[in-house]
Amino acid sequence: MRDFTIAAYKNLLVSLKEAGYSFATFSEFIQKKPGQRLVMLRHDVDDRKLHSLEFARIQRDMGIVGTYYFRMVPESFDEDVIREIHRMGHEIGYHYEDMDFAGGDPAKAVQLFEQHLETLRKIVPVSTICMHGSPKSKYDNKDVWKHYDYKKYGIIGEPYFDIDFKQVFYVTDTGRQWDGHKVSVRDKVANYFNLSFHTTFEIINCVKNNKFPNIVMFNFHPQRWTDNTILWIWEKYVQNIKNLIKFIVIKLR
Ligand SMILES: [Zn+2]
């Protein structure tokens, strides 16, 4: 079976369910203290929003929930898609990049943040946010919170600030591999678990062997996952080139 396909994705969810993990949205995790074995499925809807809609449907059909962070750009933001994913019982959050929009000016960034949050809240309730990290940008979108406090806007959580990564194992498909943190410029958290995976199948094996941590946040970019062969080949090779560029960017810093 090829990796980063819908079939591989479904196998991962089935393995987690069979291992007895429960599933929570990020806001549920913040509000209630988690159970023994818990998984958060976080999705950064950077592009190809219909892939996220498909992920949301697969989860709904399996009786599980996830969290979807939407950007304000047309390749992500879509009222109908947002409303539909929310209607299925998933959480919607704001995938902010307002420091980028504001050219690094925090006062302007927080103003844009307020406006964008309001735009999203006209469609669905929003109680958590998550930064978008563009490797091409010179700004770190989290930096706006060096000057302002998101809790003032009724936001109860931002994964990069409100998760104790000593308790919660974090894995991301950044770079279209599960160990892409090695080449990631922004999507980085400290890893206290001494665990690293390359393929989805390695994760599934670890879950089946009962070696996977108890509390986990997965970060998916659904635009990379597809059963369409041409798109799959495109994603694989374009991502290899992007990873090489990111590697060079990191080395030059
Ligand atoms: Zn993003």
Side-chain angles (χ1 to χ4, degrees), residues 42 44-47 69 71 95-97 130-134 219 221 223:
R42 174 186 133 202
D44 291 357
V45 187
D46 285 354
D47 198 353
Y69 290 103
R71 301 168 66 194
H95 199 35
Y96 65 95
E97 52 190 313
C130 180
M131 70 105 189
H132 171 66
S134 166
N219 177 25
H221 294 83
Q223 77 262 20

Side-chain angles (χ1 to χ4, degrees), residues 1 3 16 26-27 35 44 47 51 54 70 97 103 107 125 130 145 149 171 180-181 204 211 218 242 250:
M1 188 192 290
D3 204 354
L16 291 165
F26 180 49
S27 69
D44 291 357
D47 198 353
H51 287 220
E54 191 175 357
F70 283 86
E97 52 190 313
C130 180
W145 310 125
D149 181 4
V171 268
H181 50 268
I204 293 171
K211 299 257 162 59
F218 279 92
K242 279 192 195 162
I250 290 170

Side-chain angles (χ1 to χ4, degrees), residues 30-91:
I30 293 283
Q31 287 168 65
K32 312 170 199 165
K33 284 298 139 203
Q36 278 301 86
R37 290 195 127 185
L38 178 119
V39 161
M40 286 171 273
L41 303 170
R42 174 186 133 202
H43 309 79
D44 291 357
V45 187
D46 285 354
D47 198 353
R48 297 199 195 109
K49 52 215 167 190
L50 294 181
H51 287 220
S52 287
L53 185 60
E54 191 175 357
F55 267 46
R57 284 188 178 133
I58 292 167
Q59 289 165 12
R60 189 236 2 236
D61 292 347
M62 291 178 70
I64 62 186
V65 288
T67 306
Y68 293 79
Y69 290 103
F70 283 86
R71 301 168 66 194
M72 280 295 138
V73 296
E75 53 269 37
S76 174
F77 186 83
D78 183 311
E79 275 193 37
D80 294 330
V81 170
I82 290 168
R83 209 172 276 122
E84 179 67 12
I85 293 179
H86 174 255
R87 207 183 51 80
M88 291 183 222
H90 304 300
E91 179 187 5

